[in-house]
Amino acid sequence: MIQSLSEHDREKLQDSLAHSGQKVTPQREIVFAVLLAKRDHPTVEDVFQRARESMPGLSLATVYNCLETFVGCGLVRQVNHERESTRYCPNLAPHAHFRDEATGHVHDIELPPEIIQSLRSILPPGFNSETIEISFHGRSQESAQRSTSN
Amino acid sequence: MIQSLSEHDREKLQDSLAHSGQKVTPQREIVFAVLLAKRDHPTVEDVFQRARESMPGLSLATVYNCLETFVGCGLVRQVNHERESTRYCPNLAPHAHFRDEATGHVHDIELPPEIIQSLRSILPPGFNSETIEISFHGRSQESAQRSTSN
DNA sequence: TTGCAAGTTGGAATCATTCCAACTCATTTC
DNA sequence: GAAATGAGTTGGAATGATTCCAACTTGCAA
């Protein structure tokens, strides 16, 4: 069962939504809370399952809607890997993703500003990039120290 | 209409396939030739249309099969952008992709080895990555010098 | 000449996602 | 305070890329 949002997170939600002329709804609160509760890059289906524990009537379409809304107002990021289901991530700091082939798990990798800078610098003149997506693909020794939730 | 493969390319095809115990077939030759003819990161559907001009009986399933085979034996790379159709790219040199939001076109961006090196270095211990995918997302002034084919 | 294995084919099936029309509910308008 | 408005939600249908599958082809081997 998902805990309700902290004062601070509720405010963040409220602000971001208001900023693009949208409202806080019970569904959006729960979907957002689900994302914050376990930062394991859940799929829509994952979010749906988890959110339903708190709100059994919630529909899948609404989860899609909420997540799209959040992406639109900059509250969360989408993470795509090959053709797999889209995953969602409330970590807004610049970071790359590491996809563990063995487990399918996705880890955030902190991205130092100078790396971003040097990447931007390899673009030929005339190319202006707003976003850069970096994903590593390999294996990690997960078994040891694990900290998917926070 | 697609030209048949050069001696050199046919050999590359033959070698790569043989290496994983597979054969050259007329369908595979044509699909490979289509990829080499216009390096604009075609979708499966694009490849299908172009290849059909030379081989009207070719089926979509076969194009999927051929491309999967090529990826498997390292002849081509897959390029994914968000949830759009998978695109294919016969450029095997390490490179990133730039996706022009306005036109949807994908450009190869050369990737200097030191960038790859520095990216690898940001992985925490215990993470071993085989491949790194980098994609830029933005706008370019394409209208000017254009050179999608080669 | 028969059999086998790899490859191809078309159509059906799958699966994530999007679309849509009906419904809910809070707020505004008269 | 009833009616209208509009954003948001809902379930089911539709879409579209991809995969699956069973039948067919082909070249080669026994």
Side-chain angles (χ1 to χ4, degrees), chain B residues 79-114:
Chain B
V79 184
N80 286 291
H81 257 286
E82 324 260 287
R83 302 229 92 242
E84 291 174 12
S85 307
T86 300
R87 295 171 176 277
Y88 291 84
C89 162
N91 179 355
L92 291 174
H95 65 280
H97 290 110
F98 182 99
R99 169 82 197 300
D100 189 316
E101 299 187 319
T103 62
H105 293 171
V106 177
H107 302 267
D108 288 356
I109 304 289
E110 212 192 310
L111 213 45
E114 63 271 20

Short mmCIF file of all heavy atoms in Angstrom, two decimals, chain B residues 79-114:
data_model
loop_
_atom_site.label_atom_id
_atom_site.label_comp_id
_atom_site.label_asym_id
_atom_site.label_seq_id
_atom_site.Cartn_x
_atom_site.Cartn_y
_atom_site.Cartn_z
N VAL B 79 18.39 0.97 -34.39
CA VAL B 79 18.30 2.30 -33.82
C VAL B 79 16.88 2.50 -33.32
O VAL B 79 15.93 2.46 -34.10
CB VAL B 79 18.61 3.39 -34.86
CG1 VAL B 79 18.61 4.76 -34.22
CG2 VAL B 79 19.93 3.11 -35.55
N ASN B 80 16.74 2.70 -32.04
CA ASN B 80 15.41 2.94 -31.48
C ASN B 80 15.28 4.35 -30.98
O ASN B 80 16.19 4.87 -30.33
CB ASN B 80 15.14 1.96 -30.34
CG ASN B 80 14.88 0.57 -30.84
OD1 ASN B 80 13.86 0.31 -31.46
ND2 ASN B 80 15.81 -0.33 -30.60
N HIS B 81 14.14 4.95 -31.27
CA HIS B 81 13.87 6.28 -30.74
C HIS B 81 12.49 6.28 -30.13
O HIS B 81 11.51 6.07 -30.84
CB HIS B 81 13.95 7.33 -31.84
CG HIS B 81 15.22 8.11 -31.79
ND1 HIS B 81 15.44 9.06 -30.83
CD2 HIS B 81 16.33 8.05 -32.53
CE1 HIS B 81 16.64 9.57 -31.02
NE2 HIS B 81 17.21 8.98 -32.04
N GLU B 82 12.47 6.47 -28.83
CA GLU B 82 11.20 6.42 -28.12
C GLU B 82 10.48 5.14 -28.52
O GLU B 82 11.10 4.10 -28.59
CB GLU B 82 10.34 7.65 -28.44
CG GLU B 82 11.16 8.91 -28.62
CD GLU B 82 11.14 9.81 -27.40
OE1 GLU B 82 10.11 10.43 -27.17
OE2 GLU B 82 12.17 9.88 -26.68
N ARG B 83 9.22 5.22 -28.82
CA ARG B 83 8.51 4.00 -29.19
C ARG B 83 8.28 3.87 -30.68
O ARG B 83 7.44 3.09 -31.13
CB ARG B 83 7.16 3.92 -28.48
CG ARG B 83 7.20 3.97 -27.00
CD ARG B 83 6.37 2.86 -26.40
NE ARG B 83 7.14 1.67 -26.15
CZ ARG B 83 6.91 0.49 -26.72
NH1 ARG B 83 5.98 0.33 -27.61
NH2 ARG B 83 7.65 -0.55 -26.40
N GLU B 84 8.99 4.66 -31.44
CA GLU B 84 8.79 4.59 -32.88
C GLU B 84 9.33 3.28 -33.46
O GLU B 84 10.07 2.57 -32.80
CB GLU B 84 9.49 5.77 -33.54
CG GLU B 84 8.79 7.08 -33.23
CD GLU B 84 9.57 8.26 -33.77
OE1 GLU B 84 10.50 8.05 -34.56
OE2 GLU B 84 9.23 9.39 -33.40
N SER B 85 8.96 3.04 -34.69
CA SER B 85 9.43 1.83 -35.37
C SER B 85 10.94 1.76 -35.34
O SER B 85 11.63 2.77 -35.48
CB SER B 85 9.00 1.85 -36.84
OG SER B 85 7.62 2.06 -36.95
N THR B 86 11.44 0.58 -35.17
CA THR B 86 12.87 0.35 -35.16
C THR B 86 13.47 0.67 -36.52
O THR B 86 12.88 0.37 -37.55
CB THR B 86 13.14 -1.13 -34.84
OG1 THR B 86 12.58 -1.41 -33.56
CG2 THR B 86 14.63 -1.41 -34.80
N ARG B 87 14.62 1.32 -36.48
CA ARG B 87 15.32 1.64 -37.72
C ARG B 87 16.62 0.86 -37.78
O ARG B 87 17.11 0.39 -36.76
CB ARG B 87 15.59 3.15 -37.79
CG ARG B 87 14.31 3.94 -37.89
CD ARG B 87 14.51 5.43 -37.75
NE ARG B 87 13.25 6.11 -37.94
CZ ARG B 87 12.73 6.40 -39.14
NH1 ARG B 87 13.40 6.11 -40.24
NH2 ARG B 87 11.56 6.98 -39.24
N TYR B 88 17.17 0.77 -38.99
CA TYR B 88 18.38 -0.05 -39.16
C TYR B 88 19.48 0.73 -39.86
O TYR B 88 19.20 1.60 -40.69
CB TYR B 88 18.03 -1.32 -39.93
CG TYR B 88 17.18 -2.22 -39.10
CD1 TYR B 88 15.80 -2.04 -39.05
CD2 TYR B 88 17.74 -3.20 -38.30
CE1 TYR B 88 15.00 -2.84 -38.24
CE2 TYR B 88 16.95 -4.02 -37.49
CZ TYR B 88 15.58 -3.83 -37.47
OH TYR B 88 14.80 -4.61 -36.66
N CYS B 89 20.68 0.42 -39.51
CA CYS B 89 21.83 1.25 -39.83
C CYS B 89 23.04 0.36 -40.07
O CYS B 89 23.42 -0.41 -39.21
CB CYS B 89 22.02 2.13 -38.60
SG CYS B 89 23.58 2.91 -38.43
N PRO B 90 23.63 0.42 -41.28
CA PRO B 90 24.76 -0.43 -41.60
C PRO B 90 26.10 0.20 -41.23
O PRO B 90 27.15 -0.32 -41.57
CB PRO B 90 24.64 -0.60 -43.11
CG PRO B 90 24.05 0.68 -43.57
CD PRO B 90 23.24 1.25 -42.44
N ASN B 91 26.06 1.31 -40.52
CA ASN B 91 27.29 1.97 -40.10
C ASN B 91 27.79 1.31 -38.82
O ASN B 91 27.18 1.46 -37.77
CB ASN B 91 27.03 3.46 -39.87
CG ASN B 91 28.26 4.21 -39.40
OD1 ASN B 91 29.31 3.62 -39.16
ND2 ASN B 91 28.13 5.52 -39.25
N LEU B 92 28.89 0.61 -38.91
CA LEU B 92 29.35 -0.14 -37.75
C LEU B 92 30.38 0.62 -36.91
O LEU B 92 30.70 0.23 -35.81
CB LEU B 92 29.93 -1.48 -38.19
CG LEU B 92 28.86 -2.43 -38.73
CD1 LEU B 92 29.49 -3.68 -39.27
CD2 LEU B 92 27.86 -2.76 -37.64
N ALA B 93 30.89 1.73 -37.45
CA ALA B 93 31.81 2.54 -36.66
C ALA B 93 31.05 3.08 -35.45
O ALA B 93 29.85 3.33 -35.53
CB ALA B 93 32.35 3.69 -37.51
N PRO B 94 31.74 3.24 -34.32
CA PRO B 94 31.06 3.74 -33.13
C PRO B 94 30.50 5.13 -33.42
O PRO B 94 31.23 6.01 -33.86
CB PRO B 94 32.17 3.84 -32.09
CG PRO B 94 33.30 3.03 -32.61
CD PRO B 94 33.17 3.02 -34.09
N HIS B 95 29.23 5.29 -33.23
CA HIS B 95 28.65 6.61 -33.48
C HIS B 95 27.37 6.77 -32.68
O HIS B 95 26.73 5.79 -32.30
CB HIS B 95 28.36 6.80 -34.97
CG HIS B 95 27.32 5.87 -35.51
ND1 HIS B 95 27.60 4.56 -35.84
CD2 HIS B 95 26.00 6.04 -35.76
CE1 HIS B 95 26.50 3.98 -36.29
NE2 HIS B 95 25.51 4.85 -36.24
N ALA B 96 27.04 8.03 -32.46
CA ALA B 96 25.79 8.35 -31.78
C ALA B 96 24.75 8.71 -32.84
O ALA B 96 25.07 8.78 -34.02
CB ALA B 96 26.01 9.52 -30.83
N HIS B 97 23.52 8.92 -32.40
CA HIS B 97 22.49 9.34 -33.34
C HIS B 97 21.87 10.67 -32.92
O HIS B 97 21.72 10.93 -31.74
CB HIS B 97 21.41 8.27 -33.46
CG HIS B 97 21.89 7.03 -34.16
ND1 HIS B 97 22.10 5.85 -33.51
CD2 HIS B 97 22.27 6.84 -35.45
CE1 HIS B 97 22.56 4.95 -34.39
NE2 HIS B 97 22.68 5.53 -35.56
N PHE B 98 21.59 11.44 -33.93
CA PHE B 98 20.92 12.71 -33.69
C PHE B 98 19.56 12.63 -34.37
O PHE B 98 19.47 12.39 -35.57
CB PHE B 98 21.72 13.87 -34.28
CG PHE B 98 21.11 15.21 -34.02
CD1 PHE B 98 21.58 16.01 -32.98
CD2 PHE B 98 20.06 15.68 -34.80
CE1 PHE B 98 21.01 17.25 -32.73
CE2 PHE B 98 19.48 16.92 -34.55
CZ PHE B 98 19.96 17.71 -33.51
N ARG B 99 18.53 12.84 -33.60
CA ARG B 99 17.19 12.74 -34.15
C ARG B 99 16.60 14.13 -34.28
O ARG B 99 16.42 14.84 -33.28
CB ARG B 99 16.34 11.93 -33.18
CG ARG B 99 14.90 11.95 -33.46
CD ARG B 99 14.57 10.95 -34.56
NE ARG B 99 13.26 11.25 -35.12
CZ ARG B 99 12.15 11.25 -34.42
NH1 ARG B 99 12.16 10.94 -33.16
NH2 ARG B 99 11.00 11.55 -34.99
N ASP B 100 16.34 14.53 -35.51
CA ASP B 100 15.77 15.86 -35.75
C ASP B 100 14.27 15.82 -35.51
O ASP B 100 13.53 15.13 -36.21
CB ASP B 100 16.07 16.27 -37.20
CG ASP B 100 15.68 17.72 -37.46
OD1 ASP B 100 14.59 18.14 -37.02
OD2 ASP B 100 16.46 18.43 -38.11
N GLU B 101 13.84 16.55 -34.50
CA GLU B 101 12.42 16.54 -34.13
C GLU B 101 11.53 17.03 -35.24
O GLU B 101 10.38 16.62 -35.37
CB GLU B 101 12.18 17.51 -32.97
CG GLU B 101 12.90 17.21 -31.72
CD GLU B 101 12.43 18.16 -30.63
OE1 GLU B 101 12.24 19.36 -30.92
OE2 GLU B 101 12.26 17.69 -29.50
N ALA B 102 12.06 17.99 -36.01
CA ALA B 102 11.24 18.63 -37.02
C ALA B 102 10.98 17.68 -38.19
O ALA B 102 9.85 17.55 -38.66
CB ALA B 102 11.92 19.90 -37.52
N THR B 103 12.01 16.99 -38.63
CA THR B 103 11.87 16.17 -39.82
C THR B 103 11.75 14.69 -39.51
O THR B 103 11.32 13.91 -40.36
CB THR B 103 13.11 16.32 -40.72
OG1 THR B 103 14.26 15.86 -39.98
CG2 THR B 103 13.33 17.78 -41.10
N GLY B 104 12.16 14.30 -38.31
CA GLY B 104 12.16 12.88 -37.98
C GLY B 104 13.40 12.17 -38.49
O GLY B 104 13.58 10.98 -38.24
N HIS B 105 14.27 12.88 -39.20
CA HIS B 105 15.46 12.23 -39.74
C HIS B 105 16.48 11.92 -38.66
O HIS B 105 16.57 12.62 -37.66
CB HIS B 105 16.12 13.13 -40.80
CG HIS B 105 15.28 13.30 -42.02
ND1 HIS B 105 15.58 14.18 -43.03
CD2 HIS B 105 14.13 12.69 -42.40
CE1 HIS B 105 14.66 14.12 -43.97
NE2 HIS B 105 13.76 13.23 -43.61
N VAL B 106 17.23 10.88 -38.90
CA VAL B 106 18.27 10.46 -37.96
C VAL B 106 19.62 10.64 -38.62
O VAL B 106 19.83 10.21 -39.75
CB VAL B 106 18.07 8.98 -37.59
CG1 VAL B 106 19.19 8.51 -36.67
CG2 VAL B 106 16.72 8.78 -36.94
N HIS B 107 20.54 11.28 -37.94
CA HIS B 107 21.88 11.48 -38.46
C HIS B 107 22.90 10.76 -37.59
O HIS B 107 22.75 10.72 -36.38
CB HIS B 107 22.23 12.98 -38.46
CG HIS B 107 21.27 13.81 -39.24
ND1 HIS B 107 21.48 14.13 -40.57
CD2 HIS B 107 20.10 14.37 -38.90
CE1 HIS B 107 20.46 14.86 -41.00
NE2 HIS B 107 19.61 15.02 -40.00
N ASP B 108 23.91 10.24 -38.23
CA ASP B 108 25.01 9.64 -37.47
C ASP B 108 25.94 10.73 -36.99
O ASP B 108 26.26 11.66 -37.72
CB ASP B 108 25.81 8.68 -38.37
CG ASP B 108 25.02 7.40 -38.66
OD1 ASP B 108 23.92 7.25 -38.10
OD2 ASP B 108 25.52 6.58 -39.43
N ILE B 109 26.37 10.60 -35.75
CA ILE B 109 27.33 11.54 -35.18
C ILE B 109 28.57 10.73 -34.78
O ILE B 109 28.47 9.81 -33.97
CB ILE B 109 26.78 12.23 -33.92
CG1 ILE B 109 25.46 12.92 -34.21
CG2 ILE B 109 27.81 13.19 -33.33
CD1 ILE B 109 25.55 14.16 -35.06
N GLU B 110 29.68 11.10 -35.35
CA GLU B 110 30.90 10.36 -35.06
C GLU B 110 31.24 10.46 -33.58
O GLU B 110 31.05 11.50 -32.96
CB GLU B 110 32.05 10.94 -35.89
CG GLU B 110 33.07 9.92 -36.29
CD GLU B 110 34.31 10.62 -36.83
OE1 GLU B 110 34.15 11.50 -37.71
OE2 GLU B 110 35.40 10.30 -36.36
N LEU B 111 31.75 9.38 -33.04
CA LEU B 111 31.98 9.31 -31.60
C LEU B 111 33.47 9.07 -31.33
O LEU B 111 33.96 7.96 -31.49
CB LEU B 111 31.15 8.15 -31.04
CG LEU B 111 30.56 8.24 -29.66
CD1 LEU B 111 29.91 9.59 -29.40
CD2 LEU B 111 29.55 7.13 -29.48
N PRO B 112 34.19 10.10 -30.90
CA PRO B 112 35.63 9.94 -30.67
C PRO B 112 35.87 8.96 -29.52
O PRO B 112 35.12 8.94 -28.55
CB PRO B 112 36.08 11.34 -30.24
CG PRO B 112 34.96 12.27 -30.55
CD PRO B 112 33.71 11.45 -30.58
N PRO B 113 36.91 8.16 -29.65
CA PRO B 113 37.19 7.12 -28.65
C PRO B 113 37.31 7.68 -27.24
O PRO B 113 36.92 7.02 -26.27
CB PRO B 113 38.53 6.55 -29.10
CG PRO B 113 38.71 6.95 -30.51
CD PRO B 113 37.89 8.17 -30.74
N GLU B 114 37.86 8.89 -27.12
CA GLU B 114 38.05 9.41 -25.75
C GLU B 114 36.72 9.72 -25.07
O GLU B 114 36.62 9.65 -23.85
CB GLU B 114 38.98 10.64 -25.75
CG GLU B 114 38.49 11.85 -26.50
CD GLU B 114 38.90 11.84 -27.99
OE1 GLU B 114 39.22 10.73 -28.51
OE2 GLU B 114 38.88 12.91 -28.61
#
